[in-house]
Amino acid sequence: MAVAHDVLVVGGGGAGLRAAIAVAEADPRLSVAIVSKVYPMRSHTVSAEGGAAAVAGGDDSLDEHAYDTVSGSDWLCDQDAVEAFVGEAPRELLRLEHQGCPWSRTPDGHIAVRAFGGMRKKRTWFAADKTGFHMLHTLFQTTLSYQDIVRYDEWFVTSLLVDNGRVGGVVAIELATGRIETIIAKAVIMCTGGCGRVYPFTTNANIKTGDGMALAYRAGAPLKDMEFPQYHPTGLPFTGILITEAARAEGGWLLNKDGYRYLQDYDLGRPEPGPVLRSMELGPRDRLSQAFVHEVAKGRTTDTPYGPIVHLDLRHLGADVIDAKLPFVRELCARYEHIDPVRELIPVRPVIHYMMGGIHTDLDGAAGLDGLYAAGEAACVNINGANRLGSNSLPELLVFGARAGRAAAAFAASAGDAESQAVHAQAKDERHRLEKWLSRQGEGPDRIADLRTEMQETMENGAGIYRDEGSLAKAANELQRLRERFSDAAIDDRSRVFNTELVATLELSFMLDVAESIVTCALRRAESRGAHQRTDFPARDDERFLAHSLAHREPDGTCRVAYLPVTITRWPPSERVYGR
């Protein structure tokens, strides 16, 4: 037996909820469902802090937002996608306000905007420093008004079903019971978020294991620009919890162990003279993270049990500003570091934050297989290129979640039945695979947690802020050995109810696929651009690499890389600047 829907959204975060709403609005006759491995309000969108970028009038313009995004991306974004994005972002944020999102306001009642890294104008809308929390609440409450949207909360998708190049649904496990179910769908939208957990230090929640990316990759859809994981320069050293860029937007300083604002010693991409001391903390995230590595090499950081750190200083802002605009930062510091940023320095270090790459899609989220769409961080449309500007990701999931939802609705309305013998045969094979994992004893000594830790260390050491051919080749070899050991690993938990060890096993298999695509693409890109910094190829090479990488999974499981030209509409490649 199987259940069936016209459109199935995999992932219950911001992109998934926005996509489901778009389907319901586009064609109320369609059956739409959301399957999520956590309750939607526990999706990672809830942890976004700083804000959402969109032109709010004044002296700002769509062209300026587009240019900042293009320049920040180191010219690797598709400019047609950027222009669509900046044009639709203000409407999406206003729509959220009408649905109840409590944007912070100025004393005269206008929407408040703050500065954010790499942007020349203040255009980041915010709700104190809990923007993602309020956005996700608003979207979730809105879905409740559509009674025909069905939710499968705490279900884990393990396989994407495809018959002759067309998606037919998924296989998923109900975590509460262990029941394995086939869910037939005419269209599937992947909105499963990023893959930060392939690295050891990350702001990402434990659920962000690249599931949707790997599902699409295994089904035949390519992954695009996977060599560009983004480090955020200010994460707490033990937990990886994010200290939002808003803390620097409000005037926070980054200090080395000597109390010196070290960013003034580095080229952050600002070629002309100006008030550098005022703006340098809002340089692009990749440049700030790279500066940290140089401070470590110079011996100007502080050693801790969790690696070297610098400090973020908010003390000069005062309690009133911090409590009004950064209350969550103060709460996080108290709970996880036992310090008060009103009076004490915050220890920080760069941590993996966001994946610029993802499932290759067009402007409407179509992912290369009939009926397959993707949006949010799981997708790569591509507006982020080699470096995402902070506060672009939240409006991105709204704009392209809506576009994917409308496109999937149109496809499902005109498509025939997705159910077929081949789809049911694949579902039967997947059921047997999952049952085998539960029953197997395993031949090797390895446990899933140990393999995961080794994978994360391999990625940090080989494909971190700086890479070279030697480190990447070593990482590729170690990942291959980990995959071989994984095939012999066993799990001890044989239960059906909330078997977290089985989930961790399936997640690790996804992460190994994603990690391999990151390393393979990084090995092929013999240049330095944005978040991809090759010490053996330190210059940007537009002649050879002004192109997107496309990682294809071969029948033998290996990764093949091809290239796709970048779409340039109005801004030819030039020197990268910020805050001009």
Side-chain angles (χ1 to χ4, degrees):
M1 293 294 292
V3 296
H5 300 280
D6 294 306
V7 180
L8 182 67
V9 181
V10 183
L17 297 179
R18 183 65 187 94
I21 293 167
V23 174
E25 290 179 339
D27 192 339
R29 299 169 300 174
L30 296 176
S31 168
V32 55
I34 303 169
V35 56
S36 174
K37 69 177 177 181
V38 295
Y39 186 72
M41 278 307 302
R42 293 184 61 226
S43 300
H44 194 61
T45 307
V46 80
S47 67
E49 300 171 29
V55 172
D59 64 346
D60 199 5
S61 70
L62 298 180
D63 279 358
E64 288 179 289
H65 188 185
Y67 178 78
D68 286 349
T69 300
V70 171
S71 175
S73 78
D74 225 345
W75 268 266
L76 198 71
C77 66
D78 288 323
Q79 294 178 20
D80 56 345
V82 171
E83 292 190 78
F85 163 68
V86 301
E88 296 173 27
R91 294 195 294 273
E92 286 291 334
L93 297 192
L94 283 172
R95 174 191 170 101
L96 269 190
E97 182 188 35
H98 296 160
Q99 293 170 340
C101 186
W103 299 116
S104 294
R105 297 194 174 267
T106 61
D108 62 2
H110 287 85
I111 295 290
V113 290
R114 60 172 39 131
F116 239 67
M119 295 193 182
R120 296 174 294 172
K121 296 290 178 64
K122 291 184 178 182
R123 66 171 64 96
T124 297
W125 306 31
F126 58 96
D129 58 353
K130 296 184 179 181
T131 307
F133 173 86
H134 290 297
M135 285 179 60
L136 194 62
H137 258 289
T138 302
L139 290 166
F140 182 59
Q141 290 170 172
T142 301
T143 64
L144 298 180
S145 66
Y146 295 92
Q147 296 183 0
D148 292 334
I149 295 179
V150 177
R151 294 208 325 269
Y152 296 86
D153 294 343
E154 297 184 325
W155 284 66
F156 184 75
V157 174
T158 67
S159 180
L160 188 62
L161 305 175
V162 180
D163 179 13
N164 196 27
R166 180 188 166 184
V167 168
V170 303
V171 174
I173 302 173
E174 184 181 31
L175 299 181
T177 65
R179 178 164 61 102
I180 302 169
E181 186 72 83
T182 302
I183 306 176
I184 301 296
K186 296 178 181 178
V188 175
I189 311 175
M190 286 293 176
C191 302
T192 52
C195 57
R197 283 288 160 181
V198 302
Y199 285 84
F201 289 102
T202 177
T203 64
N204 289 188
N206 285 332
I207 59 174
K208 294 190 72 173
T209 51
D211 307 347
M213 295 179 188
L215 287 166
Y217 180 59
R218 292 176 180 182
L223 302 181
K224 183 164 65 182
D225 292 341
M226 293 299 288
E227 63 267 46
F228 298 103
Q230 181 176 73
Y231 280 80
H232 194 291
T234 55
L236 294 180
F238 170 54
T239 59
I241 288 172
L242 175 69
I243 298 299
T244 173
E245 194 160 298
R248 288 173 280 124
E250 298 300 335
W253 300 335
L254 283 171
L255 309 177
N256 64 19
K257 72 176 185 180
D258 302 318
Y260 175 66
R261 290 179 70 185
Y262 60 88
L263 291 174
Q264 60 193 292
D265 294 349
Y266 298 96
D267 174 17
L268 304 179
R270 183 187 178 95
E272 77 285 355
V276 175
L277 281 175
R278 180 181 177 186
S279 64
M280 62 186 170
E281 272 84 12
L282 286 181
R285 290 174 175 177
D286 56 340
R287 299 282 175 88
L288 267 61
S289 298
Q290 293 154 21
F292 172 88
V293 175
H294 293 297
E295 287 295 292
V296 173
K298 295 174 182 176
R300 302 200 305 194
T301 55
T302 301
D303 291 330
T304 76
Y306 309 106
I309 63 160
V310 291
H311 286 97
L312 178 62
D313 188 1
L314 306 183
R315 296 172 299 179
H316 53 285
L317 301 182
D320 291 344
V321 169
I322 291 173
D323 288 340
K325 295 186 175 181
L326 303 168
F328 194 43
V329 167
R330 192 173 189 182
E331 180 183 335
L332 290 172
C333 289
R335 288 189 175 186
Y336 294 99
E337 293 291 334
H338 306 295
I339 60 174
D340 185 350
V342 172
R343 295 183 295 273
E344 299 168 275
L345 297 172
I346 305 171
V348 293
R349 57 161 290 166
V351 291
I352 286 286
H353 182 56
Y354 187 88
M355 174 54 69
M356 268 79 76
I359 303 166
H360 170 45
T361 74
D362 66 12
L363 269 65
D364 291 319
L369 299 174
D370 288 344
L372 180 63
Y373 300 83
E377 194 179 348
C380 183
V381 60
N382 173 320
I383 70 164
N384 297 311
N387 176 68
R388 176 178 71 86
L389 294 189
S391 74
N392 267 352
S393 60
L394 290 179
E396 178 190 6
L397 61 82
L398 298 173
V399 168
F400 293 104
R403 279 176 164 256
R406 291 191 290 266
F411 179 88
S414 62
D417 193 351
E419 199 164 2
S420 69
Q421 289 185 346
V423 164
H424 282 291
Q426 289 175 40
K428 183 178 179 180
D429 289 344
E430 178 66 4
R431 182 186 298 272
H432 288 162
R433 183 179 77 93
L434 297 173
E435 295 286 357
K436 185 177 179 180
W437 267 112
L438 283 171
S439 62
R440 68 185 298 177
Q441 297 300 316
E443 300 174 1
D446 294 305
R447 287 297 178 264
I448 297 302
D450 296 330
L451 294 175
R452 183 177 59 234
T453 297
E454 289 187 43
M455 175 201 65
Q456 291 168 337
E457 292 174 351
T458 294
M459 294 300 291
E460 182 73 20
N461 294 333
I465 294 174
Y466 285 99
R467 313 91 180 265
D468 61 28
E469 183 175 6
S471 73
L472 290 166
K474 181 180 178 181
N477 290 333
E478 290 178 355
L479 288 172
Q480 180 59 37
R481 285 194 291 270
L482 286 171
R483 189 182 295 279
E484 293 167 359
R485 291 163 57 192
F486 173 79
S487 65
D488 291 331
I491 61 175
D492 298 318
D493 190 348
R494 301 282 183 266
S495 68
R496 299 279 176 169
V497 177
F498 286 110
N499 189 331
T500 56
E501 192 177 17
L502 175 61
V503 172
T505 300
L506 298 172
E507 288 175 334
L508 180 58
S509 72
F510 291 149
M511 287 192 285
L512 286 169
D513 279 354
V514 170
E516 181 182 36
S517 72
I518 293 171
V519 170
T520 305
C521 291
L523 261 171
R524 288 289 303 275
R525 185 174 290 274
E527 66 159 355
S528 289
R529 186 188 299 267
H532 173 72
Q533 292 293 307
R534 289 279 298 262
T535 55
D536 47 350
F537 295 97
R540 193 177 87 185
D541 185 350
D542 288 340
E543 183 175 341
R544 296 175 60 205
F545 291 106
L546 188 63
H548 302 297
S549 62
L550 293 178
H552 298 265
R553 191 172 192 263
E554 296 288 75
D556 63 358
T558 58
C559 179
R560 173 178 62 86
V561 179
Y563 288 94
L564 180 72
V566 168
T567 301
I568 296 174
T569 59
R570 298 168 56 194
W571 297 280
S574 64
E575 185 180 7
R576 183 177 167 201
V577 300
Y578 85 97
R580 187 166 59 190

